[in-house]
């Protein structure tokens, strides 16, 4: 019988494909209560389509700026049903804001600020090109920038699905 | 998380795979020029994209990258004799030139044309900078040579190293666009590494451990901007360019040389991490070059005569729990490169991305995977040329800049993230 003269290190043993088979393999629960908010009518169209995918905990809304200042924004379900910002944020762990043009800049500001104050993680996707000043959604990008932990200023519709999938919402 | 089928597609790079075909659209590093130091030197074995090859430099100085195995009986040409104008298999004397063409079969008659019909698979091998580059795709689609700035500076301005990483290429590459880990994993290096320390920007990094990110498309891939608070009314931006498929640059620090990486698949469970430093405006100092040779900065200290790091999985990366406790080495592992590789290798040969729990801060990685997937499937299904093939896409730099809070980073730093010959890197 051969005698093993060299003992592999802990790392070398653990990093093999064979050992990878012993990683705990239990179903992973959705980790995020995601609220996905369209900041303008174009984004609302995108979210109506996105909502048709099978999501675990994601809810989809359209945001409208209220008449007042700051956090004064109104949420509606993408299908038109009523929603209350405070209630939705109370149960949210991540808010993903989606814009296609500048009309939702005030919403972006109000919503982003509300999330920031509540310590809710945020991401902003601007569909089209908001990368540079003067482009279609540059004001929305500017409004999102202070409040969105992550900003994708030149996203497309697939980015919305890919981000939500990656976040397991 | 990533679907299992997409993870499979992105991590498999052998012949005939979608991702393998994508890699085969690009010029990529095959080896360092130092591995073939002189005309007629010994050949070296290489495995790239799961193909076993030998590289050699013939007696006339021509470089060749050919199938490792002799067409006759399948013996390895690593044993070959590098003779005048070709590599001769020592088994029965068959000889090949740098194009893989068999030029001599000793057992045949002197006037035989048999050898003309024997040709090994071969790929071009071209020296640019410290690197020998190859293109493993269809010769009819061979793009112009790469134009990455680091390789085009004068020899005294740059330094390139490589190390073997025992993991799939993708998990290694993903570390290169993951700016948020620097504040933790590499925090010790920001204070002590001779190629990092002393920069004003380091303090912004250390003072603000929760950066904001912007991920913007570029012609060749992405720009990932990591934003931290700076002085009142301004942000400190670290901008990382990614050029597809696997070229990244690390944002600079002070007047230190600027650095970056290529991650090249050896096979599906191993890759080469190429690391370079350069300064576009001046030669590297002796101290800088020596620090790089000694494994500081993004480089590694390798076992002499090999490209395997001295600290590797077989010795638990020389883990030092006392340094971990004091924070001198945040993870207990010494050096930026091995801090990365130790954790990336610990994920297993090919990490199961269906089990991940990503966060919004991982958006750069999410977007990069999406772009790779799109490019690979567009190539497979429509023959579309992927981003990053055009040498114009290579003309990027990383940057570290302080900008007014209201500025869009790619507007304000437009000139900072492109190569401008004669202009210094933009660094804080």
């Amino acid at each position: 019988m051969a005698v093993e003269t060299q003992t592999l290190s802990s790392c070398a043993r653990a990093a093999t494909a064979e050992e990878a088979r012993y990683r705990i393999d239990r179903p992973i629960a959705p980790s995020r209560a995601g609220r996905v908010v369209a900041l303008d009518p174009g984004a609302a169209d995108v979210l109506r389509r996105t909502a048709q995918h099978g999501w675990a905990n994601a809810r989809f809304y359209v945001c409208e700026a209220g008449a007042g200042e700051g956090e004064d924004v109104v949420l509606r379900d993408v299908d038109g049903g009523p929603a209350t910002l405070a209630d939705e944020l109370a149960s949210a762990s991540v808010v993903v804001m989606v814009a296609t043009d500048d009309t939702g800049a005030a919403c972006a500001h109000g919503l982003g600020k509300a999330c920031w104050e509540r310590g809710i993680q945020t991401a902003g996707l601007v569909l089209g090109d908001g990368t540079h000043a003067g482009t279609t959604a540059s004001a929305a990008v500017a409004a999102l920038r202070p409040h969105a932990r992550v900003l994708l200023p030149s996203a497309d519709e697939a980015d919305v699905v890919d981000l939500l999938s990656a976040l397991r919402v | 998380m990533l679907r299992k089928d997409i993870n499979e597609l992105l991590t498999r790079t052998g012949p005939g795979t979608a991702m393998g075909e994508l890699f085969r659209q690009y010029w990529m590093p095959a080896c360092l020029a130092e591995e073939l130091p002189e005309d007629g030197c010994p050949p070296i074995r290489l495995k790239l994209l799961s193909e076993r090859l030998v590289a050699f430099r013939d007696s006339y100085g021509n470089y060749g990258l050919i199938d490792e195995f002799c067409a006759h009986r399948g013996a390895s040409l690593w044993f070959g004799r590098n003779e005048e104008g070709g590599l001769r298999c020592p088994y029965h004397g068959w000889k090949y030139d740098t194009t893989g063409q068999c030029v001599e079969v000793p057992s045949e008659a002197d006037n035989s044309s048999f050898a003309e019909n024997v040709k090994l698979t071969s790929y071009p091998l071209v020296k640019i900078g410290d690197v020998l580059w190859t293109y493993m795709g269809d010769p009819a689609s061979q793009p112009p040579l790469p134009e990455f700035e680091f390789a085009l500076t004068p020899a005294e301005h740059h330094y390139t190293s490589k190390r073997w990483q025992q993991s799939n290429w993708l998990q290694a590459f993903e570390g290169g666009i993951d700016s948020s880990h620097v504040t933790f994993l590499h925090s010790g290096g920001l204070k002590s590494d001779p190629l990092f320390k002393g920069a004003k920007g380091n303090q912004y990094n250390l003072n603000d451990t929760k950066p904001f990110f912007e991920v913007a498309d570029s012609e060749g891939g992405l720009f990932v901007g990591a934003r931290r608070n700076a002085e009142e009314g301004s942000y400190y931006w670290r901008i990382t360019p990614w050029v597809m498929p696997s070229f990244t640059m690390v944002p600079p620090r002070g007047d230190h040389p600027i650095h970056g990486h290529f991650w090249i698949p050896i096979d599906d469970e191993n890759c080469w991490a190429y690391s370079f430093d350069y300064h576009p405006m001046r030669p590297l100092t002796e101290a800088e070059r020596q620090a790089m040779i000694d494994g500081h900065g993004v480089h590694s200290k390798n076992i002499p005569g090999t490209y395997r790091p001295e600290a590797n999985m077989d010795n638990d990366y020389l883990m030092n729990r006392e340094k971990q406790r004091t924070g001198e080495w945040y993870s207990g592992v010494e050096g930026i490169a091995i801090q990365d590789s130790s954790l990336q290798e610990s994920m297993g040969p090919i990490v199961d991305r269906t089990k991940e729990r990503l966060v919004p801060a991982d958006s750069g990685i999410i977007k990069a995977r999406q772009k790779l997937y799109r490019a690979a499937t567009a190539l497979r299904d429509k023959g579309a040329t992927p981003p990053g093939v055009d040498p114009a896409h290579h003309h990027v730099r990383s940057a570290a800049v302080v900008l007014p809070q209201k500025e869009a980073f790619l507007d304000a730093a437009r000139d900072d993230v492109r190569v401008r010959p004669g202009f210094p890197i933009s660094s804080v």
Side-chain angles (χ1 to χ4, degrees):
Chain A
M1 181 177 168
V3 176
E4 189 177 12
T5 56
Q6 186 178 357
T7 304
L8 286 175
S9 75
S10 168
C11 288
R13 282 197 308 273
T16 62
E18 187 178 25
E19 279 300 311
R21 291 187 299 138
Y22 297 105
R23 289 188 173 211
I24 293 173
D25 186 19
R26 291 191 182 133
I28 298 172
S31 58
R32 295 254 177 202
R35 305 291 177 257
V36 190
V37 183
L39 300 179
D40 55 63
D45 291 340
V46 170
L47 291 199
R48 285 189 193 97
R49 290 190 290 274
T50 305
Q52 303 306 311
H53 294 250
W55 304 106
N57 283 335
R59 298 180 196 162
F60 297 84
Y61 303 96
V62 177
C63 182
E64 297 167 3
E69 291 292 315
E71 198 177 302
D72 184 18
V73 295
V74 177
L75 286 190
R76 295 188 195 286
D77 186 273
V78 281
D79 295 324
T84 306
L85 177 64
D87 290 347
E88 293 307 323
L89 294 188
S91 58
S93 58
V94 63
V95 169
V96 177
M97 296 175 273
V98 182
T100 63
D101 59 36
D102 283 346
T103 58
C107 282
H109 177 76
L111 193 55
K113 187 164 174 285
C115 292
W116 183 254
E117 289 168 355
R118 291 165 173 80
I120 298 170
Q121 186 73 275
T122 51
L125 292 95
V126 179
L127 311 190
D129 187 6
T131 309
H132 301 296
T135 48
T136 317
S138 58
V141 169
L144 282 166
R145 180 169 288 120
H147 302 298
R149 177 65 64 182
V150 169
L151 194 52
L152 278 72
S154 52
D156 61 32
E157 191 165 334
D159 285 314
V160 181
V161 175
D162 285 355
L163 179 64
L164 298 180
S165 300
L167 297 180
R168 294 179 179 278
V169 296
Chain B
M1 68 90 107
L2 197 65
R3 276 181 10 213
K4 186 176 182 182
D5 60 313
I6 299 179
N7 197 36
E8 280 289 298
L9 185 144
L10 295 181
T11 54
R12 305 290 179 183
T13 58
T17 61
M19 199 64 211
E21 291 310 306
L22 186 77
F23 264 98
R24 286 167 174 80
Q25 303 304 302
Y26 300 89
W27 285 96
M28 59 183 183
C31 61
L32 293 175
E34 69 181 24
E35 296 178 70
L36 297 174
E38 59 191 14
D39 297 350
C41 63
I44 59 168
R45 275 196 181 100
L46 286 177
K47 184 159 61 168
L48 292 172
L49 306 179
S50 298
E51 293 185 39
R52 286 183 58 172
L53 305 159
V54 288
F56 70 107
R57 178 172 167 179
D58 74 12
S59 56
Y60 307 121
N62 303 307
Y63 291 105
L65 182 61
I66 64 175
D67 186 338
E68 179 183 340
F69 301 102
C70 180
H72 179 209
R73 297 283 307 282
S76 173
L77 292 169
W78 179 81
F79 293 95
R81 297 167 56 87
N82 197 348
E83 297 182 349
E84 187 174 354
L87 192 61
R88 187 184 297 280
C89 179
Y91 206 178
H92 302 93
W94 292 31
K95 184 178 176 184
Y96 303 91
D97 69 14
T98 54
T99 70
Q101 178 64 52
C102 184
V103 293
E104 197 178 325
V105 177
S107 62
E108 293 292 301
D110 287 347
N111 57 353
S112 167
S113 60
F114 176 76
E116 294 171 16
N117 298 315
V118 178
K119 188 173 188 302
L120 296 175
T121 295
S122 72
Y123 302 113
L125 193 62
V126 177
K127 182 180 183 300
I128 304 174
D130 295 332
V131 173
L132 298 182
W133 304 75
T134 191
Y135 166 78
M136 293 172 65
D138 177 0
S141 303
Q142 182 174 311
L145 291 169
E147 296 182 7
F148 295 100
E149 186 180 36
F150 83 94
L152 297 175
T153 54
E156 59 273 20
H157 287 225
H158 61 246
Y159 174 80
T160 312
S161 68
K162 76 173 191 181
R163 64 176 167 79
W164 171 29
Q165 177 154 336
Q166 292 174 263
S167 79
N168 182 261
W169 80 278
L170 187 62
Q171 63 211 56
F173 152 71
E174 286 173 347
I177 53 171
D178 169 18
S179 193
S180 60
H181 79 283
V182 175
T183 307
F184 298 94
L185 183 60
H186 305 318
S187 54
L190 296 184
K191 297 169 191 162
S192 62
D193 191 289
L195 296 167
F196 283 17
K197 68 181 182 182
K200 182 183 178 186
N202 296 355
Q203 210 51 50
Y204 299 130
N205 262 88
L206 296 169
N207 289 346
D208 186 351
T209 59
K210 293 184 185 296
F212 285 62
F213 294 94
E214 287 192 30
V215 183
D217 278 303
S218 69
E219 287 183 315
L222 292 174
F223 286 113
V224 180
R227 186 189 94 202
R228 292 174 172 84
N229 289 318
E231 287 75 18
E232 184 71 26
S234 60
Y235 292 133
Y236 171 61
W237 285 92
R238 294 181 60 75
I239 305 170
T240 300
W242 166 50
V243 178
M244 289 177 65
S246 64
F247 171 85
T248 66
M249 288 183 70
V250 182
R253 297 186 182 278
D255 189 46
H256 291 303
I258 192 168
H259 33 255
H261 304 280
F262 269 99
W263 284 275
I264 303 300
I266 297 172
D267 53 32
D268 292 343
E269 298 187 354
N270 297 273
C271 66
W272 289 119
Y274 284 85
S275 302
F276 61 83
D277 259 286
Y278 73 102
H279 201 299
M281 303 300 289
R282 61 165 173 83
L284 303 179
T285 66
E286 273 190 43
E288 287 170 341
R289 188 173 293 276
Q290 191 59 50
M292 294 165 196
I293 292 168
D294 291 342
H296 293 291
V298 295
H299 305 280
S300 58
K301 191 168 187 181
N302 294 336
I303 297 168
T306 78
Y307 293 99
R308 189 177 201 206
E310 286 187 349
N312 58 59
M313 67 166 62
D314 287 340
N315 53 27
D316 287 340
Y317 306 95
L318 305 174
M319 166 64 82
N320 185 322
R321 296 290 181 184
E322 177 60 16
K323 300 271 190 184
Q324 184 187 57
R325 190 186 65 75
T326 63
E328 186 175 346
W329 304 339
Y330 190 80
S331 69
V333 171
E334 184 179 17
I336 306 286
I338 308 305
Q339 286 160 5
D340 284 329
S341 68
S342 56
L343 296 179
Q344 292 157 3
E345 290 176 356
S346 79
M347 297 170 173
I350 304 178
V351 68
D352 180 359
R353 292 177 173 79
T354 67
K355 300 287 196 291
E356 292 173 331
R357 288 172 181 261
L358 297 185
V359 295
D362 295 314
S363 290
I365 291 171
I366 296 167
K367 184 78 177 171
R369 292 175 184 173
Q370 180 203 68
K371 289 188 75 102
L372 286 167
Y373 178 76
R374 285 183 180 180
T377 53
L379 173 68
R380 180 191 65 195
D381 301 337
K382 301 172 189 166
T385 300
V389 168
D390 183 344
H393 298 171
H394 306 169
H395 303 168
V396 294
R397 285 178 176 173
S398 57
V401 290
V402 173
L403 301 174
Q405 286 188 350
K406 291 186 177 177
E407 296 273 9
F409 82 96
L410 279 185
D411 272 346
R414 190 188 311 255
D415 288 338
D416 301 296
V417 295
R418 66 183 177 87
V419 171
R420 291 181 299 159
F423 284 83
I425 54 179
S426 298
S427 181
V428 178

